[in-house]
Amino acid sequence: MNIGILSSKSSDVNSSQSRCVLNEDNRQKSRLGKVFETSMVARRASLFIAMLGTCMLIGDGILTPAISVLSAMDGLRAPFPSISKSLVEALSAVVLFILFLLQKFGTSRVSFLFSPIMGAWTLSTPLVGIYSIIHHYPSIFKALSPYYIFHFFWRNGKEGWLMLGGTILCITGSEALFADLGHFNRSSIQIAFLFTIYPSLILTYAGQTAYLIKNPNDHMDGFYKFIPKTIYWPIFIIATLAAVVASQSLISATFSVIKQSVVLDYFPRVKVVHTSSNKEGEVYSPEVNYILMVFCIAVILIFGDGQDIGNAFGVVVSLVMLITTILLTLVMIIIWRTPSLLVALYFIIFFMMEGVYVSAVLTKIPEGGWIPFAISFILAFIMFGWYYGRQRKIQYELTHKIDLGRLGMLLSDPSVQRVPGLCFFYTKIQNGLTPILGHYTKNMRSLHKVTIFTTLRYLLVPKVSPHERIVVKKLGLRGVYACVIQYGYADSLNLEGDNFVSQVLDSLQEHIENCSSLPSDHMPVQEEISELSEAKTAGVIHVRGKARFHIGKSTSFFDRFMLAFYEVLHKNCRPALPVLGVPLPQCLEVGMFYEA
């Protein structure tokens, strides 16, 4: 759907480049879909909810490594009471520092260690749980009966509801299962969860509960206390390594969601590297990686108390789950056209269950639960500022785009000369020419003999076949062509070297030869082809637009502030596409002024 904060028409430019084309089978849109596309309030509400969920998930990527490693390393204090909390925090920071340094090698290169670690974890902890059940309280499995659920809340009332905030940590990780789909297929995830993870968790938690029934004073450190002393150190090593693996999963999830946000123009352009040639989910962003590292270490050193981090963690996980349920319900209604009864069953069950958890953990906001909201506020401000500026830029380009008639008038002006050389104009407009052209000809008073308007189109496929990668066509004016560069997530996109220029010119030559029989083409084929070769020999330049906003007196403070903030992001964020980072001697920056 065309959902934006400006007019819905402004989304059309990006739809074919950055969104997966959904097969609607030529059916009319649902009533709810029409409401979302026509109502500004609905569009802004859905955009806000989606951005909040994204920011919360990124916050999850900060808190999960912090709390996982910190809680695992805290096991050192049981056999060595003299070890201070500060030393545990420092050791946790060192482990995280090493973990983040390893991210550049990609998950596939270090994941050979993950399976043995998680295999040891899912096998050893339930065995300890079974021992604890037999030794302390064999009838603990009565806790699985729904009777005790109702009895617990009936007896405890409000206190029982508040206690739910402490149990949310038992289901963390399920909010990031989407990241696993970038590495495994759905069947393997289902089999692993149903036959290993879920039974392991049930037996482990039952064993801890059995121990705590006999030793209620140990509830602050129930995991390490219920482990027998003879196997304490092997379990400690396995737990620490498993915490590192759990941290890796959320770090990968953060990279994945930021990569998708960059592609959809909801996040400033950061460098995204695909570390695998056949797995879309294996991505790495250097800038994001080091920012996450700084935040994770800061959370540990500043909020070393595991209770505060745990409360913040619970808020993040529960809100991400609730937002996912809301958005998935919209997808089921509008996109999948799922029968209403099934949608109602899904929404009522999951929304009620997750809503109860959210209401319980929100009471923890004064006790550390405010941390994810602070992180999300900063991230949401960056994302909203970037998206707002991009929408304004696209709206300007659509309003001021140049058609072929106006280009012909510009070229017919005697003061505009056709100079030797080859010029690439980069644009996101596919049904018109970029407004940069008008500013360029006005300031340079010239246009190169061969001018190619180039559009980059991102496709959600691993690799685009060579014969589909470059699509060219003639625009009806001498030496003026359009070119679309299509690339997948595993393609290496290098638009700076001679290889790219040669590929485009070869495609143009083939296109000219194939179109030579058209009656509207009066220019000899060999002459046109020779012009291409001469233009390449004379020199190649790349022209891109640099966003500068011209603010009028009538512009609101909100527009002034958001456009200025976008300009700061535009100048300081590393480009995601190499085309925006060509060497300055080969690149002309043309200032674009957007009327507010």
Side-chain angles (χ1 to χ4, degrees):
M1 297 190 305
N2 294 328
I3 296 179
I5 55 178
L6 299 174
S7 64
S8 59
K9 294 181 180 179
S10 63
S11 301
D12 294 342
V13 176
N14 288 336
S15 60
S16 62
Q17 295 177 337
S18 58
R19 297 178 184 171
C20 179
V21 178
L22 298 174
N23 181 15
E24 293 289 340
D25 296 331
N26 295 322
R27 294 175 293 182
Q28 292 183 350
K29 295 176 181 176
S30 64
R31 292 181 180 179
L32 186 60
K34 292 179 180 178
V35 168
F36 271 87
E37 290 200 353
T38 56
S39 171
M40 178 64 74
V41 175
R43 290 208 305 272
R44 289 183 174 177
S46 60
L47 182 63
F48 172 77
I49 292 173
M51 282 190 172
L52 178 62
T54 302
C55 295
M56 283 288 178
L57 187 70
I58 298 174
D60 194 1
I62 296 172
L63 294 173
T64 295
I67 191 172
S68 299
V69 175
L70 182 63
S71 59
M73 296 299 293
D74 202 47
L76 290 171
R77 302 181 66 192
F80 301 107
S82 59
I83 294 180
S84 65
K85 189 73 173 178
S86 300
L87 180 58
V88 172
E89 294 170 5
L91 292 174
S92 302
V94 171
V95 172
L96 286 176
F97 180 76
I98 296 173
L99 174 63
F100 280 103
L101 289 182
L102 293 175
Q103 295 302 311
K104 63 181 179 181
F105 298 107
T107 309
S108 57
R109 297 189 180 182
V110 295
S111 60
F112 69 93
L113 294 172
F114 291 175
S115 294
I117 291 172
M118 296 312 298
W121 170 259
T122 55
L123 180 64
S124 60
T125 54
L127 290 178
V128 177
I130 293 173
Y131 169 80
S132 179
I133 292 169
I134 297 173
H135 187 70
H136 295 289
Y137 196 79
S139 59
I140 188 62
F141 287 106
K142 290 189 297 183
L144 297 177
S145 171
Y147 166 79
Y148 291 99
I149 297 176
F150 294 104
H151 184 66
F152 173 80
F153 288 111
W154 182 265
R155 186 178 72 245
N156 292 281
K158 182 180 178 181
E159 292 298 320
W161 166 66
L162 292 175
M163 288 180 186
L164 283 176
T167 64
I168 191 70
L169 299 184
C170 296
I171 56 175
T172 56
S174 54
E175 79 282 4
L177 276 174
F178 74 91
D180 296 331
L181 289 172
H183 304 260
F184 308 100
N185 59 40
R186 183 165 57 180
S187 299
S188 63
I189 298 173
Q190 291 172 335
I191 292 171
F193 181 81
L194 291 175
F195 295 101
T196 59
I197 302 300
Y198 186 70
S200 175
L201 289 174
I202 291 295
L203 291 172
T204 302
Y205 290 143
Q208 291 183 57
T209 308
Y211 173 83
L212 291 174
I213 287 175
K214 297 296 184 181
N215 304 274
N217 293 329
D218 292 340
H219 68 276
M220 294 299 294
D221 189 16
F223 177 75
Y224 282 115
K225 291 290 179 64
F226 100 110
I227 297 175
K229 293 182 178 180
T230 54
I231 59 171
Y232 185 88
W233 288 111
I235 295 295
F236 170 79
I237 294 173
I238 294 174
T240 304
L241 294 175
V244 172
V245 176
S247 303
Q248 175 65 53
S249 66
L250 263 297
I251 294 171
S252 298
T254 304
F255 290 155
S256 177
V257 77
I258 288 180
K259 177 250 185 181
Q260 297 295 340
S261 301
V262 170
V263 169
L264 295 173
D265 246 349
Y266 283 91
F267 200 84
R269 289 170 176 155
V270 294
K271 184 177 182 181
V272 177
V273 179
H274 287 272
T275 56
S276 173
S277 59
N278 55 8
K279 294 291 185 181
E280 182 186 2
E282 294 190 23
V283 294
Y284 165 71
S285 175
E287 294 92 342
V288 175
N289 180 61
Y290 295 121
I291 291 173
L292 284 179
M293 180 181 69
V294 171
F295 272 104
C296 284
I297 294 176
V299 166
I300 286 180
L301 298 181
I302 298 175
F303 306 98
D305 186 3
Q307 188 70 29
D308 287 344
I309 302 178
N311 291 334
F313 194 28
V315 171
V316 162
V317 171
S318 58
L319 277 176
V320 168
M321 290 181 178
L322 187 67
I323 291 173
T324 302
T325 297
I326 294 172
L327 294 179
L328 184 56
T329 302
L330 294 178
V331 171
M332 294 171 71
I333 296 173
I334 299 171
I335 308 299
W336 296 347
R337 312 295 173 85
T338 306
S340 301
L341 179 60
L342 295 179
V343 174
L345 285 174
Y346 165 77
F347 181 77
I348 291 172
I349 293 174
F350 280 88
F351 186 82
M352 288 182 60
M353 182 168 53
E354 293 162 356
V356 171
Y357 274 107
V358 169
S359 63
V361 298
L362 288 180
T363 61
K364 304 290 186 180
I365 288 180
E367 304 170 13
W370 59 270
I371 299 174
F373 286 99
I375 296 172
S376 298
F377 177 79
I378 297 172
L379 292 170
F381 183 68
I382 293 173
M383 292 179 68
F384 186 81
W386 178 262
Y387 182 69
Y388 183 84
R390 298 297 291 176
Q391 289 282 293
R392 292 296 297 266
K393 178 179 182 292
I394 291 171
Q395 190 179 52
Y396 173 88
E397 290 181 342
L398 287 173
T399 305
H400 297 83
K401 63 184 179 182
I402 297 175
D403 55 23
L404 291 176
R406 185 180 171 191
L407 177 59
M409 293 177 60
L410 288 172
L411 296 180
S412 63
D413 188 345
S415 62
V416 178
Q417 303 294 322
R418 298 298 295 269
V419 297
L422 174 61
C423 179
F424 285 91
F425 280 93
Y426 294 96
T427 176
K428 299 189 76 173
I429 300 177
Q430 298 188 48
N431 55 351
L433 304 179
T434 173
I436 300 175
L437 178 63
H439 297 288
Y440 180 84
T441 54
K442 180 179 178 180
N443 289 278
M444 306 299 292
R445 310 307 301 176
S446 65
L447 192 67
H448 291 76
K449 287 186 177 181
V450 177
T451 302
I452 302 175
F453 295 93
T454 305
T455 302
L456 302 177
R457 179 183 293 170
Y458 175 84
L459 303 179
L460 288 175
V461 294
K463 288 182 178 293
V464 177
S465 58
H467 68 278
E468 294 179 351
R469 183 167 301 172
I470 300 177
V471 181
V472 296
K473 70 175 181 177
K474 300 170 69 173
L475 294 181
L477 297 172
R478 179 165 181 169
V480 180
Y481 307 94
C483 174
V484 178
I485 310 295
Q486 302 184 128
Y487 64 100
Y489 59 81
D491 280 324
S492 57
L493 187 65
N494 183 9
L495 307 181
E496 302 179 20
D498 292 336
N499 187 36
F500 163 71
V501 177
S502 299
Q503 289 178 359
V504 173
L505 292 183
D506 290 342
S507 299
L508 274 175
Q509 180 176 335
E510 182 181 352
H511 177 73
I512 292 169
E513 292 173 349
N514 293 335
C515 297
S516 59
S517 59
L518 296 178
S520 59
D521 195 354
H522 303 292
M523 187 176 180
V525 175
Q526 293 303 321
E527 182 180 345
E528 194 169 1
I529 293 176
S530 63
E531 276 195 358
L532 296 178
S533 301
E534 292 173 1
K536 180 183 178 182
T537 305
V540 182
I541 68 168
H542 302 263
V543 179
R544 65 184 178 92
K546 184 177 180 180
R548 294 173 184 163
F549 296 96
H550 177 69
I551 307 298
K553 291 183 178 180
S554 60
T555 308
S556 66
F557 173 79
F558 175 80
D559 280 341
R560 290 171 181 266
F561 184 78
M562 294 308 296
L563 294 179
F565 180 65
Y566 168 74
E567 192 170 30
V568 171
L569 291 175
H570 192 274
K571 288 180 178 179
N572 292 283
C573 288
R574 185 174 182 177
L577 300 176
V579 64
L580 299 180
V582 296
L584 285 178
Q586 299 178 3
C587 178
L588 297 180
E589 291 187 352
V590 181
M592 294 184 65
F593 295 86
Y594 305 109
E595 297 294 336

